[in-house]
Structures are given as structure tokens and as C-alpha cells.
Amino acid sequence: MPGARAGARGGDARAAAEDSLEDYAFRYVPRSFRRWSALSVGGTALGSIAFLADFSIGASIGLEHGTSNAVLGILLASVIIFLVGFPVAFYAARYNLDLDLIARGSGFGYYGSIITTVVFAGFTCIFFALEGAIMAQGLEVAVGIPLPIGYVISTVAVIPIVVYGMRALERLHFWTTPLWLALALVPLVWIVFTQPDAVGEFLGFTGESDGTVSFSAVVASAAVCFALTPQLAEQIDYIRVMPPRTSANAKSWWASFVFSGPGWVIFSGTKQVIGLFLAVYLVTKVDPSIADRAVEPVKQFLGMYQSLLPDWIALVFALVLIVIAQVKINVTNAYSGSLAWSNVYTRVKKHYPGRTVFVVFNLVIALALMLMDVFSLISFVLSLYANVVMAWLVTISADIVINKHLLGLSPRFPEFRRGMLHNWNPVGPVSVGIASLLSLLCFAGAFGPRLQPFSVLVAIGAAVVVTPLMAILTRGRFYLRRSSDGIPSPILDRDGNPSGERLRCHVTGYTFERPDMLASAEAGPRGEVQFVSSLALALDDSDRYVLPPEPAASSRSGRGRKV
């Protein structure tokens, strides 16, 4: 039945090529789809960081370690996350690829990047659960809806928006971001200027600590914040649709990229500090008996509004703010999760059932986590997860900066196409494995209690060292199986952007842009060269269209390409 199987694969490829609902779920994003301006893309990407978990995280570490240690920890984490995220986000915006596609050519190989994608998909489930729990708490306080029913409502509410992809998300964020900012910031500014003693209480708050600044407490605070690093991948799912960078739009392109790409952490860190301020305000000014519930954003904003407005108005404002924030971030969590699971399933099963299936799959996992009360363990869960997260992202970032640009052992162009890549590259998996193992052992106390707070720094340091070391030991042999894709025209244009030239895929019958295409191993009826899309190769379980490997494909082949 090979003919039937081939027909099914071609049907899958044609279905995936229809981008109305699929949003290029596991593909390069072509110029023809990227019609938004850089500022529009940046604004949409920033709209997704309205999540309230930041407020809870800031409050959680501040109540434990005090304001000074918490703020310094937030600053430390923010600086490191920005530096780690910059090269990865740049590759996404410049070459219009999601993080899975970048990872393939940055040390992991075609199948190896599945490891990184599963880590990220887990993040989207965990954070959907945390944010959904916050929304359910708001519904319980405002209208008395039991938490389990609130969990279901917060899960189902995002489906009608998520299934329509980037177009629907852009409109959602455009209309809701100004309202969210007004509801969150106006009363806060009023309190700061009318109650200056609240600022003094905040600055002098010691939490459960003795009030001294401790490096271990700063690092322990930062460790919780590091778990937010995969938010970069969600930002990438937006900025991958950035328009080509030219001399005409260079300033707006760079501004949008910096603030909506790696710069998301500037806004995230600010929100964490605000969350700590609101928790201290609750404990010292509103309800000293509130204790650990001060970490709940519902309580934070309700307490802030109640200090300024009648209770019924405060309740309405708090509910509106929470619902808007949770819908904004959870449509992003569900959207990014669906892209990630699409990538994993398609490569493993060679079948593409459609992105909507993975939206539902992602939400089912998130709902299960909510029902298991993952919110009550927020600090522990995030601290544990941060070790693996940093091992993963630092490995990719180190490969881009060190192996691609300093050592020249990894191709500068982020190759992602099956047929050009080896299935597995040991550089990335070994680095992530060693860094994760060492940091988790440290986190569990295997190296003694004094080193335990530094587990995330162990992950970062190990990944920075092991990634180039593995590239040197393997001499870069596992990055590319071919140095040429068999197409004579350049893959980049004169400005260094992916070319918009369109070529016809003989498998699907569709035309695709140049970066998505390779020469096919199957010649045409008159012996002419035919072209095959990376999409068709991803959905085919044979190598009949794949050109044979070159005897000595060198990773240095991409070194001269303009970045």
C-alpha cells in the first residue's frame, strides 16, 4: 500500500499548507504571511505579557526573603534572561522561525530538538494552569463560582480565540492592552503618591528574613524568576512574523525586536516588583492577618481597589482586570503550546491532524494540573523547573554565540530542513543533559545545603561550558549532512533577509518560498530538477525525496552568510 500511504502524506502536507487556521505551526513563516508592520508585531507580542503570575512570584519571594533580597534577585534574573534571550530572539525575528526550528540547527538535530520542544510545551501547560487558577480564584471571590467549575470556565473560554491563530490574537491584544494597563497602573500610581508611607513600608519590609542582604537569598529569589524564561519562546511565536529588516524600517524593527523579544523581561521584572509592593501593602495596610494569601493576585488587586473605592466597584474592577489578563496570556499559552505539540507529533508520527487538535490536548493537560492544585506549590514547581529551563535555553544561546559566531563550528544560518540536518546532534542533548543533571542534584542538596540555592547558576555555567566543548570534541560534524540544498539561487536576499522567491513543490503542488525548499532526489519526467518543500519532507516517512549526504558536509558552509 505504498501508494495509499504516499497519498495520505501528500494530503497531510496540503492540509498543513492551508494557513488559515494552522499559522505555519511547524514551518518557516513566509513573507506572504508577514503583512504586519514591526511595531504592530511588537505591540501584539507585548500584549501577551499581561499575565498575573509575575505578581504572585514577586510576592512569594518577597514575603520569604524581604524586599531587598527579592528586588536584587529579580534584577539578577532579568539581566541574565535578557542576555540569554537576545541571540535566540534575534534569530527568530531575523529568520522567521520558532524556537523548535532554531534548535534543530543549533546543536540538536532534526529529531533532537523534540527534547527542547517538550520542555517548552510543558511550560505552556504549567503556566496555563497557574494563570487559569488565578482567573478561577477571581470568579470565586467575585461571583461565588466553585474553583473546579472556574477551572473549566478559564480553560474553555480561550478556545474560540486560539483556534484562529495570529490574526485573532493581534486584534485581541490591540483592543485589550490599554484597558489592562489603565486598570492595573492608575490605582497603583494613586496609592504611591497619596500614601508615601506605603512606599517606606515596602522598602523596609524584611519578610521572613532577618533583614540583611544575603547573596544566597538573592540567588534563591532569582531561581524562582528563572522559571519564567520560556516566556521568551512565547514571544518568539509572535516575533517570528516580523517583516524583513531593511534600511527603511531598521529603527522600528530594532525597537520592536528589543522590547518585545528579549525585552519582555523588563516588563516582567517590573510586574514582579509591583506584585511584591501590593503584597506588602496588603500585609501592612489592609489586612495583617492575610498571611500567605497575599501572594494571590486576586487578593492584591481587590485590596488595592478596596482601599480607594466602594467594595462593589472594587470587586467589579478586580474581576474585569483578572479576566482580561488571564484571557490575554492564556490564549498565548494555548497558542504556543499547540505549535509546540504540533512540531513534536508531526515529526514522530509523520501525520498532521491539524493545530486545533493540539489546542485541545494542551488545554486538557493544563486543566488536569489546575485540578491537582498546582498553584499552591508555585514557588517549588517554578524553582524545580527553572533548572531544566535554563539548561535548555542557555545551550541554544551558547551554540548561537559561541559555536556559530566565535568558533565557526556551527552553521550561522539556522538550518531547520529535513534532508539538510542529521537526525541527532550530540552537542545539544549532551549539554542539556549534563547541565540539568548537575543543577537538579544541586537543587536536591546532593552537593550540600550551602550550594543548594545556586542550582540554577550551576545549570547556566554547565551549559555555557559543555556546549562549545561538545562542538569542539565532535568537530562540528553533526550539524549538517549536506552543505548545499541543490538550489542555485541564494537563500537570503541582499539585506540578509530570507528570500521571497517562490518555487513549486512537486509533492504538494503548492508553491513555497525559497528558505522552505530543497532540490528533490526524485527527478521530473524529463529528468529535470524538481523541488520539494520541508513541509512535505516532514510528513513523509521515507527518504525518497531526500538528497544523499555529502561525504564531508562542513558546518562552516554557512559561516559567510550575512546575518
Side-chain angles (χ1 to χ4, degrees):
M1 297 286 289
R5 284 198 300 271
R9 304 298 182 198
D12 280 344
R14 284 187 288 274
E18 297 291 349
D19 65 73
S20 58
L21 297 183
E22 306 313 321
D23 263 12
Y24 302 92
F26 50 96
R27 301 169 50 197
Y28 158 77
V29 183
R31 288 193 185 197
S32 58
F33 181 76
R34 295 182 276 119
R35 302 185 184 96
W36 296 276
S37 69
L39 292 176
S40 178
V41 173
T44 301
L46 286 177
S48 71
I49 62 170
F51 54 91
L52 299 183
D54 271 334
F55 295 92
S56 186
I57 289 170
S60 177
I61 61 178
L63 292 178
E64 182 177 355
H65 300 293
T67 295
S68 297
N69 288 315
V71 171
L72 289 174
I74 292 168
L75 180 62
L76 173 64
S78 298
V79 171
I80 292 176
I81 291 171
F82 183 91
L83 294 176
V84 169
F86 192 97
V88 183
F90 176 78
Y91 264 54
R94 185 64 160 150
Y95 298 113
N96 313 109
L97 306 173
D98 67 21
L99 192 52
D100 177 88
L101 271 63
I102 294 171
R104 294 180 191 181
S106 299
F108 289 86
Y110 184 75
Y111 287 111
S113 67
I114 289 176
I115 298 170
T116 71
T117 306
V118 170
V119 172
F120 171 58
F123 167 86
T124 67
C125 293
I126 291 172
F127 269 82
F128 189 105
L130 294 176
E131 297 293 337
I134 293 171
M135 180 171 169
Q137 291 164 3
L139 293 173
E140 181 186 40
V141 170
V143 293
I145 295 176
L147 281 178
I149 297 177
Y151 295 153
V152 174
I153 292 173
S154 65
T155 302
V156 173
V158 304
I159 295 177
I161 301 172
V162 177
V163 294
Y164 286 100
M166 181 66 185
R167 294 180 177 92
L169 298 183
E170 191 267 341
R171 288 192 289 269
L172 171 74
H173 292 314
F174 178 82
W175 290 108
T176 57
T177 297
L179 178 58
W180 181 87
L181 287 172
L183 288 171
L185 297 182
V186 171
L188 177 68
V189 172
W190 180 263
I191 287 176
V192 169
F193 281 98
T194 60
Q195 302 180 43
D197 57 323
V199 178
E201 294 275 5
F202 164 70
L203 294 175
F205 184 73
T206 60
E208 299 174 8
S209 71
D210 58 7
T212 59
V213 174
S214 161
F215 184 61
S216 61
V218 170
V219 174
S221 298
V224 181
C225 305
F226 280 128
L228 291 170
T229 309
Q231 177 62 32
L232 172 70
E234 297 199 348
Q235 300 304 115
I236 282 173
D237 283 337
Y238 288 107
I239 64 173
R240 70 192 179 113
V241 302
M242 286 279 278
R245 191 188 78 196
T246 65
S247 57
N249 71 352
K251 290 182 180 179
S252 63
W253 193 98
W254 276 109
S256 298
F257 159 72
V258 170
F259 285 105
S260 62
W264 72 269
V265 75
I266 299 171
F267 304 97
S268 176
T270 302
K271 287 160 56 192
Q272 290 166 40
V273 174
I274 292 173
L276 172 54
F277 175 84
L278 292 176
V280 173
Y281 183 74
L282 284 183
V283 170
T284 60
K285 297 291 186 182
V286 178
D287 183 7
S289 65
I290 195 170
D292 290 343
R293 297 207 71 185
V295 305
E296 297 179 10
V298 175
K299 296 293 185 183
Q300 294 174 2
F301 285 101
L302 185 59
M304 178 176 68
Y305 287 132
Q306 286 176 333
S307 68
L308 303 174
L309 302 166
D311 285 355
W312 72 272
I313 298 179
L315 195 61
V316 171
F317 277 16
L319 180 61
V320 171
L321 171 67
I322 287 164
V323 169
I324 289 175
Q326 300 322 98
V327 170
K328 283 170 71 65
I329 182 55
N330 269 352
V331 295
T332 299
N333 282 327
Y335 175 67
S336 293
S338 71
L339 298 179
W341 291 120
S342 296
N343 258 307
V344 172
Y345 184 88
T346 302
R347 269 175 294 166
V348 172
K349 302 296 290 184
K350 306 297 182 185
H351 170 64
Y352 183 66
R355 189 173 60 84
T356 303
V357 172
F358 299 105
V359 170
V360 175
F361 178 73
N362 205 55
L363 297 185
V364 168
I365 297 174
L367 178 59
L369 291 174
M370 281 187 264
L371 293 171
M372 292 165 58
D373 195 23
V374 69
F375 187 84
S376 65
L377 301 172
I378 182 170
S379 289
F380 174 78
V381 170
L382 295 183
S383 297
L384 177 67
Y385 198 65
N387 295 283
V388 179
V389 162
M390 293 310 292
W392 156 48
L393 281 172
V394 173
T395 293
I396 297 175
S397 187
D399 191 272
I400 292 173
V401 174
I402 301 174
N403 294 352
K404 291 185 186 301
H405 290 271
L406 297 181
L407 299 180
L409 292 172
S410 174
R412 285 196 176 184
F413 178 77
E415 187 57 72
F416 62 93
R417 298 166 294 177
R418 183 186 168 203
M420 294 296 293
L421 295 167
H422 290 283
N423 287 339
W424 295 88
N425 184 343
V427 173
V430 170
S431 177
V432 171
I434 292 176
S436 297
L437 178 62
L438 291 176
S439 62
L440 289 173
L441 287 173
C442 186
F443 180 80
F447 303 143
R450 296 184 65 181
L451 286 178
Q452 200 166 7
F454 303 99
S455 63
V456 177
L457 297 186
V458 170
I460 295 171
V464 168
V465 172
V466 175
T467 301
L469 181 61
M470 282 298 300
I472 292 170
L473 290 176
T474 60
R475 292 180 291 177
R477 289 176 308 196
F478 298 97
Y479 283 96
L480 295 177
R481 66 188 291 276
R482 291 186 58 84
S483 60
S484 169
D485 59 15
I487 302 177
S489 59
I491 200 167
L492 302 177
D493 65 17
R494 275 185 261 179
D495 292 316
N497 299 297
S499 170
E501 177 190 6
R502 300 192 70 85
L503 301 169
R504 183 181 178 276
C505 171
H506 75 95
V507 177
T508 65
Y510 285 94
T511 60
F512 295 83
E513 291 186 4
R514 170 67 179 87
D516 229 1
M517 300 294 286
L518 302 90
S520 175
E522 190 173 279
R526 293 184 295 277
E528 73 274 14
V529 176
Q530 297 191 116
F531 305 112
V532 62
S533 65
S534 63
L535 173 63
L537 294 179
L539 293 167
D540 191 88
D541 57 1
S542 75
D543 289 331
R544 64 183 179 278
Y545 304 128
V546 177
L547 292 172
E550 295 170 345
S554 170
S555 66
R556 295 175 183 268
S557 61
R559 185 173 175 82
R561 285 172 175 156
K562 183 178 178 181
V563 177

